Amino acid sequence: MRVSPDLAKELQGHEVEFRGEIESTFLRSLFSWMVPILLFLGVWYFMMKRMGPGQGVMNFAGNKAKIFAEEDIPTRFVDVAGVDEAKGELEEIVQFLRTPEKFSRLGGRMPKGVLLVGPPGTGKTLLSRAVAGEAGVPFFSISGSEFVELFVGMGAARVRDLFKQAREKAPCIVFIDELDALGKARGMGMMGGHDEREQTLQQLLVEMDGFDPRVGVIIMAATNRPEILDAALLRAGRFDRQVLVDKPDLNGRLAILEVHAKRIVLSKDVNLRALAQRTPGLSGADLENILNEGALLAARANRDDVTMADLDEAVDRIVGGLEKKNRVINAEEKKRVAYHETGHALVAAFTPNADKVHKISIIPRGIAALGYTEQRPTEDRYLMSTSELEGKVQVMLGGRVAEQLVFGEGSTGAANDLQRATDLVRAMITQYGMGTTLGPVTYSRRNQPVFIPQDSTFAPPQAEYSEATAAALDEELRRFMEDHEQRVENLLGKHRELLENVAQRLLTAEIIEGKEFDELVKAEAAGDLPAPPPPLEAQAAPEQAPEA
Ligand code: ADP
Ligand code: MG
Ligand code: ZN
């Protein structure tokens, strides 16, 4: 109780009887301290008992991030299609995991680490599971990006825990997915070092060096950015064996489609080979997606089975983004897009060795593309000659040049074409030695991503050539582009009538199939090009009076 100091005096002055007592606060405050401490100790005791002997306080943190082994993985090699070479290389690992004694008896040393490299969605994760499934061993898996999110010190603890468990369960597989998230070269990137990541990586290296491969633990990892991995990871005794898991070719795509088609009710008209032919460059994951999307479309239409039309539509969706027929686009823009796409198509038609035009469309797809010209190679290609690459560049420039020819100026719509054409020409000069003034030399830049497009989050790659060469490269690049643009201009000028004709048709029909387009090209050559249908504005009542 608080009292004003004058109170006693005042009370005395008024002859009131009173007395004061000093209250003891000691016991009460002791009590308020003791209860939480006792409670805390109680909980502590309980936890310690549960953890059992030999486990310290530090392990408490490790346990939260506990990794469990998966046993009896059902995945087999037959579930992974189109990557026969990779399977062949992994077959040996399977044999070793089945009977490690047999291999170590003869003194053979198995690789400690196997790194699966390849573009996203090609089945690296799937393949690693198949190895565990085939060998019938436990499978510990963790993703490199998970480590990076952990608290300070946890990543390293987790790696330690992982390897401790793996040794107990041997023979087994430890799989680190997205190794690049963890194993980025140290000191790379703009943010400077990431201490936690580096510690974890260090711990991984220590663990990999520390165990005897004869115990039968195989470390597998997957990445689609091998070029940014820390060199220390790739040294002998670590991930010294690399297995390429590449995008499937025609037969591979067919095999993958067959694997996933098993669980889908297909109509008789479905031709998986034709589907495989339509999808060069797609990964296993994309193909699975197409079948799935096709099944969804069929279900939406209440059909009993999935038809070829569903799958065709699914390909269009996956490849070109979702169809957006109702996207509002003004008439002037639409006209521009029609001429632009026709420009691409015409250049393709008149360029020897260029891929055939399969479809021209001005239906906007996805967010970026207002129209597209789909070309299809007749076969898978692994090599390209100089003239083929030049043809590609010219087709890319076709849209832009057509716009300039018809409207007297270009537009922003051609930015992406220009970018791709420039990149290709730069590669021709700096990587393939196809330039004319700089000689048969590659002017490389370090750490270019091999499998996925370069992102901008990294510092620009360092050039390995002089300033003077850089200037000469720029000059050559410009000359090449101007030269190609001129050639495309000449070509489209010569076929101006066909350009108008096809573009007008495209404006009314929105889509022109490859067959119709070929016929128009032939008709032009024969000199009897049929007149296009009247423009839409003439058919419907015009909204605005045409300008004089
Ligand atoms: P990655 O790890 O290379 O990015 P994933 O293994 O995660 O690719 O593949 C994703 C999915 O795509 C798989 O679960 C599988 O269904 C399908 N897939 C990818 N590649 C193949 C393949 N070669 N054969 C069969 N299915 C595949
Ligand atoms: Mg994966
Ligand atoms: Zn274009």
Side-chain angles (χ1 to χ4, degrees):
M1 184 183 171
R2 292 225 317 273
V3 242
S4 109
D6 298 337
L7 184 60
K9 255 190 219 151
E10 222 169 287
L11 287 173
Q12 272 169 349
H14 291 85
E15 293 181 346
V16 181
E17 222 177 276
F18 72 97
R19 68 197 175 95
E21 240 177 301
I22 298 186
E23 252 182 76
S24 158
T25 58
F26 176 72
L27 264 176
R28 203 194 289 178
S29 62
L30 185 74
F31 195 68
S32 70
W33 276 98
M34 283 302 278
V35 172
I37 287 178
L38 278 174
L39 242 153
F40 186 72
L41 283 176
V43 171
W44 179 276
Y45 178 73
F46 181 70
M47 302 294 297
M48 292 300 278
K49 259 189 90 147
R50 284 205 34 168
M51 277 198 290
Q55 282 182 300
V57 189
M58 274 315 291
N59 224 298
F60 182 46
N63 266 353
K64 264 211 282 193
K66 190 148 188 114
I67 304 146
F68 293 100
E70 284 178 78
E71 316 252 355
D72 300 327
I73 301 252
T75 314
R76 294 289 181 274
F77 274 154
V78 291
D79 299 322
V80 196
V83 286
D84 293 337
E85 255 171 78
K87 278 200 264 183
E89 295 198 41
L90 293 171
E91 182 60 36
E92 192 192 4
I93 307 284
V94 172
Q95 293 302 334
F96 169 71
L97 286 169
R98 277 194 191 140
T99 47
E101 323 81 53
K102 197 174 104 192
F103 283 76
S104 48
R105 190 166 52 87
L106 300 177
R109 191 182 73 89
M110 276 320 272
K112 269 186 199 172
V114 180
L115 183 61
L116 304 176
V117 294
T122 47
K124 298 181 293 297
T125 308
L126 192 66
L127 207 47
S128 68
R129 298 179 68 83
V131 172
E134 288 281 339
V137 297
F139 184 72
F140 291 90
S141 80
I142 187 162
S143 163
S145 55
E146 283 169 49
F147 282 119
V148 181
E149 289 156 14
L150 293 175
F151 299 112
V152 178
M154 292 264 286
R158 206 167 178 192
V159 170
R160 228 174 292 131
D161 180 46
L162 177 65
F163 278 83
K164 183 165 164 282
Q165 285 196 61
R167 263 187 290 263
E168 284 160 10
K169 289 248 180 186
C172 67
I173 290 178
V174 172
F175 177 63
I176 305 171
D177 212 348
E178 300 169 46
L179 180 66
D180 43 292
L182 176 64
K184 249 179 246 165
R186 282 164 278 198
M188 232 180 111
M190 301 207 280
M191 314 284 282
H194 185 301
D195 269 354
E196 174 59 10
R197 187 173 61 70
E198 284 185 17
Q199 274 182 30
T200 311
L201 175 59
Q202 196 56 44
Q203 186 63 37
L204 177 66
L205 295 176
V206 168
E207 293 287 349
M208 284 189 80
D209 290 342
F211 80 81
D212 184 347
R214 278 169 302 184
V215 299
V217 178
I218 296 273
I219 305 156
M220 294 181 74
T223 180
N224 41 38
R225 309 202 57 184
E227 69 282 347
I228 65 166
L229 288 183
D230 198 308
L233 273 169
L234 306 176
R235 270 208 284 279
R238 292 170 185 165
F239 290 105
D240 47 5
R241 185 169 304 190
Q242 297 194 17
V243 174
L244 177 66
V245 187
D246 214 346
K247 288 212 179 131
D249 62 3
L250 177 64
N251 288 324
R253 290 196 299 275
L254 179 59
I256 293 172
L257 286 170
E258 277 164 354
V259 165
H260 291 288
K262 274 186 210 136
R263 40 174 195 88
I264 286 174
V265 187
L266 292 179
S267 131
K268 279 208 186 66
D269 76 329
V270 171
N271 181 346
L272 290 181
R273 178 165 283 275
L275 210 56
Q277 267 161 355
R278 274 199 69 183
T279 47
L282 295 201
S283 68
D286 297 329
L287 294 170
E288 186 192 6
N289 223 345
I290 284 173
L291 287 176
N292 201 40
E293 186 79 31
L296 291 181
L297 286 168
R300 218 171 292 158
N302 279 326
R303 266 191 286 280
D304 293 332
D305 46 20
V306 183
T307 64
M308 194 64 187
D310 292 325
L311 294 174
D312 273 333
E313 166 95 32
V315 172
D316 286 350
R317 284 187 181 213
I318 304 279
V319 172
L322 284 177
E323 201 162 307
K324 285 195 188 152
K325 272 211 170 186
N326 53 3
R327 178 167 166 164
V328 198
I329 169 167
N330 78 36
E332 191 55 35
E333 276 178 349
K334 195 169 160 186
K335 207 167 142 195
R336 213 177 239 286
V337 175
Y339 279 95
H340 178 107
E341 296 305 331
T342 309
H344 284 308
L346 282 198
V347 178
F350 293 107
T351 303
N353 296 330
D355 294 338
K356 264 177 80 68
V357 174
H358 179 80
K359 194 191 246 181
I360 319 169
S361 162
I362 55 168
I363 297 171
R365 268 158 198 277
I367 19 171
L370 295 174
Y372 63 93
T373 303
E374 193 182 345
Q375 287 174 270
R376 273 189 206 156
T378 18
E379 58 205 325
D380 282 316
R381 298 299 307 269
Y382 301 100
L383 289 176
M384 289 229 173
S385 66
T386 308
S387 60
E388 282 172 304
L389 289 176
E390 284 177 348
K392 266 190 182 304
V393 172
Q394 288 172 15
V395 172
M396 288 175 198
L397 291 176
R400 195 181 124 82
V401 172
E403 282 186 57
Q404 281 165 346
L405 222 55
V406 175
F407 301 95
E409 58 180 0
S411 74
T412 53
N416 180 261
D417 291 334
L418 198 58
Q419 167 92 54
R420 281 165 49 220
T422 310
D423 287 348
L424 186 50
V425 170
R426 180 176 287 122
M428 288 171 69
I429 300 170
T430 62
Q431 290 175 31
Y432 311 137
M434 292 173 178
T436 48
T437 56
L438 288 154
V441 177
T442 58
Y443 299 93
S444 68
R445 289 151 177 243
R446 261 172 263 148
N447 291 330
Q448 297 268 31
V450 190
F451 294 119
I452 51 176
Q454 181 143 32
D455 60 22
S456 50
T457 52
F458 284 97
Q462 283 168 292
E464 281 183 327
Y465 40 78
S466 70
E467 293 284 323
T469 308
L473 277 178
D474 289 341
E475 171 61 26
E476 170 119 341
L477 185 60
R478 213 196 65 226
R479 221 169 35 72
F480 249 74
M481 295 293 285
E482 279 171 356
D483 182 38
H484 285 305
E485 188 174 41
Q486 188 58 53
R487 283 199 251 171
V488 173
E489 219 174 289
N490 296 345
L491 189 139
L492 288 182
K494 232 168 58 192
H495 296 281
R496 183 68 192 258
E497 197 197 337
L498 185 60
L499 176 68
E500 294 286 347
N501 194 304
V502 176
Q504 287 307 326
R505 279 168 201 277
L506 198 52
L507 269 173
T508 33
E510 297 204 331
I511 289 183
I512 293 183
E513 296 289 341
K515 225 166 83 194
E516 187 186 350
F517 177 70
D518 287 345
E519 273 158 22
L520 289 170
V521 172
K522 277 196 206 108
E524 189 220 25
D528 60 345
L529 198 58
L536 280 181
E537 301 100 76
Q539 293 168 12
E543 275 170 43
Q544 324 130 282
E547 294 120 81

mmCIF file of all heavy atoms in Angstrom, residues 186-203:
data_model
loop_
_atom_site.group_PDB
_atom_site.id
_atom_site.type_symbol
_atom_site.label_atom_id
_atom_site.label_comp_id
_atom_site.label_asym_id
_atom_site.label_seq_id
_atom_site.Cartn_x
_atom_site.Cartn_y
_atom_site.Cartn_z
ATOM 1 N N ARG A 186 30.950 -20.756 -54.325
ATOM 2 C CA ARG A 186 31.020 -19.790 -53.229
ATOM 3 C C ARG A 186 31.422 -18.413 -53.734
ATOM 4 O O ARG A 186 32.223 -18.298 -54.645
ATOM 5 C CB ARG A 186 31.996 -20.281 -52.162
ATOM 6 C CG ARG A 186 31.356 -21.349 -51.306
ATOM 7 C CD ARG A 186 32.366 -22.108 -50.521
ATOM 8 N NE ARG A 186 32.970 -23.151 -51.346
ATOM 9 C CZ ARG A 186 33.621 -24.186 -50.841
ATOM 10 N NH1 ARG A 186 33.774 -24.291 -49.552
ATOM 11 N NH2 ARG A 186 34.137 -25.096 -51.625
ATOM 12 N N GLY A 187 30.803 -17.400 -53.156
ATOM 13 C CA GLY A 187 31.148 -16.036 -53.547
ATOM 14 C C GLY A 187 30.514 -15.624 -54.862
ATOM 15 O O GLY A 187 30.879 -14.621 -55.446
ATOM 16 N N MET A 188 29.537 -16.436 -55.363
ATOM 17 C CA MET A 188 28.875 -16.055 -56.608
ATOM 18 C C MET A 188 27.591 -15.323 -56.293
ATOM 19 O O MET A 188 27.038 -15.408 -55.230
ATOM 20 C CB MET A 188 28.557 -17.301 -57.412
ATOM 21 C CG MET A 188 29.049 -17.225 -58.820
ATOM 22 S SD MET A 188 28.635 -18.715 -59.679
ATOM 23 C CE MET A 188 27.431 -18.122 -60.812
ATOM 24 N N GLY A 189 27.104 -14.581 -57.249
ATOM 25 C CA GLY A 189 25.831 -13.897 -57.053
ATOM 26 C C GLY A 189 26.044 -12.546 -56.436
ATOM 27 O O GLY A 189 27.112 -12.222 -55.924
ATOM 28 N N MET A 190 24.996 -11.741 -56.469
ATOM 29 C CA MET A 190 25.145 -10.351 -56.074
ATOM 30 C C MET A 190 25.043 -10.150 -54.578
ATOM 31 O O MET A 190 25.519 -9.178 -54.043
ATOM 32 C CB MET A 190 24.076 -9.520 -56.770
ATOM 33 C CG MET A 190 24.187 -9.640 -58.261
ATOM 34 S SD MET A 190 23.560 -8.217 -59.112
ATOM 35 C CE MET A 190 21.823 -8.516 -59.075
ATOM 36 N N MET A 191 24.391 -11.106 -53.914
ATOM 37 C CA MET A 191 24.161 -10.918 -52.495
ATOM 38 C C MET A 191 25.412 -11.215 -51.670
ATOM 39 O O MET A 191 25.380 -11.134 -50.459
ATOM 40 C CB MET A 191 23.051 -11.850 -51.999
ATOM 41 C CG MET A 191 21.850 -11.877 -52.886
ATOM 42 S SD MET A 191 20.876 -10.401 -52.670
ATOM 43 C CE MET A 191 20.073 -10.825 -51.144
ATOM 44 N N GLY A 192 26.468 -11.598 -52.329
ATOM 45 C CA GLY A 192 27.658 -11.982 -51.598
ATOM 46 C C GLY A 192 27.437 -13.357 -51.017
ATOM 47 O O GLY A 192 26.576 -14.095 -51.469
ATOM 48 N N GLY A 193 28.207 -13.735 -50.020
ATOM 49 C CA GLY A 193 28.114 -15.076 -49.474
ATOM 50 C C GLY A 193 26.836 -15.281 -48.681
ATOM 51 O O GLY A 193 26.281 -14.351 -48.129
ATOM 52 N N HIS A 194 26.387 -16.507 -48.642
ATOM 53 C CA HIS A 194 25.279 -16.866 -47.786
ATOM 54 C C HIS A 194 25.879 -17.826 -46.780
ATOM 55 O O HIS A 194 26.128 -18.981 -47.080
ATOM 56 C CB HIS A 194 24.187 -17.529 -48.616
ATOM 57 C CG HIS A 194 22.947 -17.820 -47.834
ATOM 58 N ND1 HIS A 194 22.944 -18.615 -46.727
ATOM 59 C CD2 HIS A 194 21.679 -17.408 -48.000
ATOM 60 C CE1 HIS A 194 21.708 -18.681 -46.241
ATOM 61 N NE2 HIS A 194 20.932 -17.955 -47.008
ATOM 62 N N ASP A 195 26.115 -17.326 -45.586
ATOM 63 C CA ASP A 195 26.890 -18.092 -44.612
ATOM 64 C C ASP A 195 26.301 -19.449 -44.330
ATOM 65 O O ASP A 195 27.006 -20.442 -44.285
ATOM 66 C CB ASP A 195 26.977 -17.313 -43.299
ATOM 67 C CG ASP A 195 28.218 -16.447 -43.293
ATOM 68 O OD1 ASP A 195 28.994 -16.582 -44.245
ATOM 69 O OD2 ASP A 195 28.385 -15.680 -42.346
ATOM 70 N N GLU A 196 24.990 -19.482 -44.137
ATOM 71 C CA GLU A 196 24.333 -20.723 -43.773
ATOM 72 C C GLU A 196 24.525 -21.757 -44.885
ATOM 73 O O GLU A 196 24.850 -22.912 -44.629
ATOM 74 C CB GLU A 196 22.850 -20.461 -43.536
ATOM 75 C CG GLU A 196 22.018 -21.694 -43.298
ATOM 76 C CD GLU A 196 22.491 -22.500 -42.100
ATOM 77 O OE1 GLU A 196 23.347 -22.009 -41.351
ATOM 78 O OE2 GLU A 196 22.021 -23.632 -41.935
ATOM 79 N N ARG A 197 24.362 -21.300 -46.126
ATOM 80 C CA ARG A 197 24.511 -22.208 -47.254
ATOM 81 C C ARG A 197 25.932 -22.742 -47.335
ATOM 82 O O ARG A 197 26.155 -23.924 -47.546
ATOM 83 C CB ARG A 197 24.142 -21.464 -48.538
ATOM 84 C CG ARG A 197 24.106 -22.345 -49.761
ATOM 85 C CD ARG A 197 23.570 -21.595 -50.956
ATOM 86 N NE ARG A 197 24.384 -20.446 -51.319
ATOM 87 C CZ ARG A 197 25.587 -20.530 -51.845
ATOM 88 N NH1 ARG A 197 26.125 -21.697 -52.058
ATOM 89 N NH2 ARG A 197 26.267 -19.450 -52.143
ATOM 90 N N GLU A 198 26.880 -21.829 -47.122
ATOM 91 C CA GLU A 198 28.281 -22.256 -47.213
ATOM 92 C C GLU A 198 28.635 -23.251 -46.132
ATOM 93 O O GLU A 198 29.359 -24.212 -46.375
ATOM 94 C CB GLU A 198 29.206 -21.042 -47.154
ATOM 95 C CG GLU A 198 29.197 -20.306 -48.475
ATOM 96 C CD GLU A 198 30.194 -19.166 -48.509
ATOM 97 O OE1 GLU A 198 31.099 -19.142 -47.660
ATOM 98 O OE2 GLU A 198 30.038 -18.303 -49.385
ATOM 99 N N GLN A 199 28.110 -23.012 -44.934
ATOM 100 C CA GLN A 199 28.382 -23.962 -43.847
ATOM 101 C C GLN A 199 27.816 -25.325 -44.163
ATOM 102 O O GLN A 199 28.441 -26.353 -43.914
ATOM 103 C CB GLN A 199 27.727 -23.472 -42.559
ATOM 104 C CG GLN A 199 28.572 -22.503 -41.781
ATOM 105 C CD GLN A 199 27.860 -22.110 -40.495
ATOM 106 O OE1 GLN A 199 27.101 -22.884 -39.939
ATOM 107 N NE2 GLN A 199 28.098 -20.900 -40.040
ATOM 108 N N THR A 200 26.596 -25.314 -44.717
ATOM 109 C CA THR A 200 25.945 -26.574 -45.039
ATOM 110 C C THR A 200 26.717 -27.301 -46.128
ATOM 111 O O THR A 200 26.962 -28.506 -46.039
ATOM 112 C CB THR A 200 24.508 -26.314 -45.516
ATOM 113 O OG1 THR A 200 23.878 -25.444 -44.589
ATOM 114 C CG2 THR A 200 23.727 -27.591 -45.620
ATOM 115 N N LEU A 201 27.117 -26.544 -47.149
ATOM 116 C CA LEU A 201 27.899 -27.122 -48.233
ATOM 117 C C LEU A 201 29.198 -27.709 -47.692
ATOM 118 O O LEU A 201 29.594 -28.820 -48.035
ATOM 119 C CB LEU A 201 28.197 -26.032 -49.269
ATOM 120 C CG LEU A 201 29.110 -26.402 -50.420
ATOM 121 C CD1 LEU A 201 28.544 -27.561 -51.206
ATOM 122 C CD2 LEU A 201 29.306 -25.197 -51.348
ATOM 123 N N GLN A 202 29.842 -26.965 -46.806
ATOM 124 C CA GLN A 202 31.086 -27.426 -46.204
ATOM 125 C C GLN A 202 30.878 -28.743 -45.473
ATOM 126 O O GLN A 202 31.656 -29.682 -45.600
ATOM 127 C CB GLN A 202 31.596 -26.347 -45.233
ATOM 128 C CG GLN A 202 33.042 -26.522 -44.846
ATOM 129 C CD GLN A 202 33.934 -26.570 -46.068
ATOM 130 O OE1 GLN A 202 33.773 -25.774 -46.997
ATOM 131 N NE2 GLN A 202 34.850 -27.521 -46.109
ATOM 132 N N GLN A 203 29.777 -28.804 -44.729
ATOM 133 C CA GLN A 203 29.472 -30.015 -43.982
ATOM 134 C C GLN A 203 29.239 -31.189 -44.942
ATOM 135 O O GLN A 203 29.681 -32.306 -44.688
ATOM 136 C CB GLN A 203 28.233 -29.789 -43.102
ATOM 137 C CG GLN A 203 27.926 -30.942 -42.173
ATOM 138 C CD GLN A 203 29.043 -31.168 -41.164
ATOM 139 O OE1 GLN A 203 29.657 -30.211 -40.682
ATOM 140 N NE2 GLN A 203 29.340 -32.422 -40.864
#
